Amino acid sequence: MSSSALPPEPWHSFLGEIDAALANPVLLNCIGGFALTVHYGMCRPTADIDLLEDLTALFAGPLLTLGGEGGPLHRKYKLYIDPVTVAFFPENYDGRLTEIFAGTYKSLHIRVLDPYDVALTKLGRNNQRDRDDVRFLARAIPLDVGTLKERYVSELQWQFADGLRYGPRYRADRDIDEWIEMIKEDQAGEDVTK
């Protein structure tokens, strides 16, 4: 996990320009590639900061005007802020947020979801990149499959619609079980080589 006092460039300059334009504190609760790369150490390109936010607060100020997709800072840095409007995430994630780069900016407070919560935000879409991200977290942290499953059942499963066969909950239940098997296979393979 990142221990740097500053985000890497060009993120630091991008965020610094947004911070300079803010009159009030803004909390950025980050998920996705930004959290994975700048905090958890994954090596993959990302050009956006996916946020779980109160959208009325975001749209009221310069955050998205300057740093949103198509805005002046997006054109300048090729980076942008992307509020996530449709996502499934554990209901108590906010109690497990970690602030990163504390004190670097006057108004921006950048926080990332804990690794289990980041992984679980990927369950709704579950494409190959999402599975690769979960596999990375499982190795880097390492994730405990019992904790992952328990958090899914207690904080996320209910958010998927009815449990009809092949419905959203059926797919999510199937996918979390496949993830757990994938993680166990990876962990078993790592144990063999030690």
Side-chain angles (χ1 to χ4, degrees):
M1 289 186 273
S2 172
S3 59
S4 172
L6 299 174
E9 288 295 352
W11 287 110
H12 178 55
S13 296
F14 172 77
L15 292 166
E17 287 199 42
I18 291 172
D19 184 64
L22 296 173
N24 297 306
V26 173
L27 300 175
L28 301 181
N29 296 330
C30 305
I31 63 173
F34 180 80
L36 286 165
T37 59
V38 304
H39 183 62
Y40 292 110
M42 186 175 198
C43 294
R44 80 160 159 92
T46 189
D48 66 341
I49 301 176
D50 294 317
L51 302 176
L52 295 177
E53 298 297 324
D54 171 6
L55 296 181
T56 56
L58 286 177
F59 286 110
L63 186 67
L64 289 182
T65 305
L66 285 174
E69 190 170 15
L73 296 181
H74 180 207
R75 291 189 298 276
K76 180 176 180 178
Y77 293 104
K78 309 297 186 236
L79 306 171
Y80 63 97
I81 304 281
D82 189 17
V84 175
T85 56
V86 179
F88 295 98
F89 47 90
E91 64 183 327
N92 297 319
Y93 78 90
D94 55 339
R96 296 181 291 264
L97 291 164
T98 299
E99 185 167 359
I100 58 174
F101 314 119
T104 300
Y105 306 106
K106 68 175 178 55
S107 296
L108 282 179
H109 299 276
I110 304 165
R111 305 183 309 177
V112 296
L113 275 67
D114 98 329
Y116 294 92
D117 294 338
V118 170
L120 289 170
T121 64
K122 297 179 168 297
L123 191 59
R125 187 175 61 184
N126 192 30
N127 66 22
Q128 186 60 51
R129 177 178 270 186
D130 296 321
R131 289 186 296 278
D132 291 344
D133 291 348
V134 170
R135 181 172 259 151
F136 166 80
L137 285 169
R139 292 174 182 159
I141 299 306
L143 294 180
D144 173 75
V145 293
T147 302
L148 184 66
K149 179 73 178 231
E150 186 279 325
R151 193 166 301 170
Y152 166 70
V153 169
S154 65
E155 296 187 34
L156 187 64
Q157 185 181 46
W158 66 269
Q159 296 179 45
F160 291 94
D162 62 53
L164 296 175
R165 189 172 184 186
Y166 305 116
R169 181 169 295 166
Y170 170 85
R171 285 193 307 273
D173 288 349
R174 178 199 62 205
D175 293 346
I176 194 73
D177 289 340
E178 288 176 2
W179 285 11
I180 288 169
E181 287 308 309
M182 171 186 73
I183 292 167
K184 285 179 178 178
E185 288 174 13
D186 280 359
Q187 290 172 343
E190 288 175 13
D191 289 342
V192 170
T193 60
K194 288 183 180 178

